[in-house]
Amino acid sequence: IMATLADFGVRGAGGEILQPHLKNKWRLTFNGVGNLVSGEALTLQAITCDRPKMSFQPVQLDRYNSRAYVAGKYTFEPVNVTFEVDVGGEVEYILRAQQERTQKIIGLRSAARLPAANGGRDYKFSVTQELLDGDNLALSIFYLEGAWFETIDWGDLDYAASETLKVTATIRFDHARQDVRGVKDMATGGFAPIL
């Protein structure tokens, strides 16, 4: 007796294997970054990105001779994004413009007293992280709200290298919301007709 498609997966749990989502089908959209309506260059040049990570602070409850734990405040870890630098300078321009919104430090028109933004609304933005199907349909979306660039690493230069120049940014954000839409699909194409 040979195995058939009915033997895939776990017996008694539906048989077939659910189609896994691939890591290379995603898109980032930056909203209100760099004092621009669109951060399209960042969307086009993003090559790696973390997904949000959330953890709860454990609160220890001590009693007579025992100990229990409950969930305390939650924290979202920063997200790292790597961009390829374009020769037109759009990626670097947007990142620098966003830094200038936070505090005038490295731009051509830096102020002598390095003024900082009055409030978060002056420099925070949002990021939409979409997991896509093979085309343009979003199967799962994370909305990162109250985002700002905690660090920007402008990369390094090397005469011996021939790869692309990359910039890595660490995005700190206040909150993330997730919208899971999904499409029910199986990893196998199904049975072939018997002639």
Side-chain angles (χ1 to χ4, degrees), residues 41-42 45 83-99 106 152-155 157 165-167:
L42 298 183
Q45 297 299 108
F83 304 98
E84 282 184 328
V85 177
D86 60 291
V87 294
E90 290 186 54
V91 167
E92 291 181 309
Y93 173 80
I94 294 170
L95 294 175
R96 184 192 53 79
Q98 186 62 33
Q99 281 186 320
I106 62 173
I152 296 177
D153 179 352
W154 298 99
L157 306 172
L165 181 61
K166 295 172 182 65
V167 172

Side-chain angles (χ1 to χ4, degrees), residues 1 11 14 40 43 53 56-57 59 62 72-73 79 82 96 99 115 117 125 130-132 140 146-147 155 169 172 179:
I1 296 177
R11 286 192 178 277
E40 187 176 275
T43 298
K53 299 173 190 68
F56 288 93
Q57 178 184 10
V59 176
D62 289 303
K73 293 182 180 182
V79 167
T82 303
R96 184 192 53 79
Q99 281 186 320
F125 54 94
E130 298 169 286
L131 295 180
L132 304 172
S140 176
R172 174 72 70 175
D179 179 8

Side-chain angles (χ1 to χ4, degrees), residues 50-53 75-80 150 170-173:
D50 295 336
R51 296 188 74 201
K53 299 173 190 68
T75 301
F76 285 104
E77 299 299 320
V79 167
N80 296 305
E150 184 176 61
T170 300
I171 300 172
R172 174 72 70 175
F173 56 97

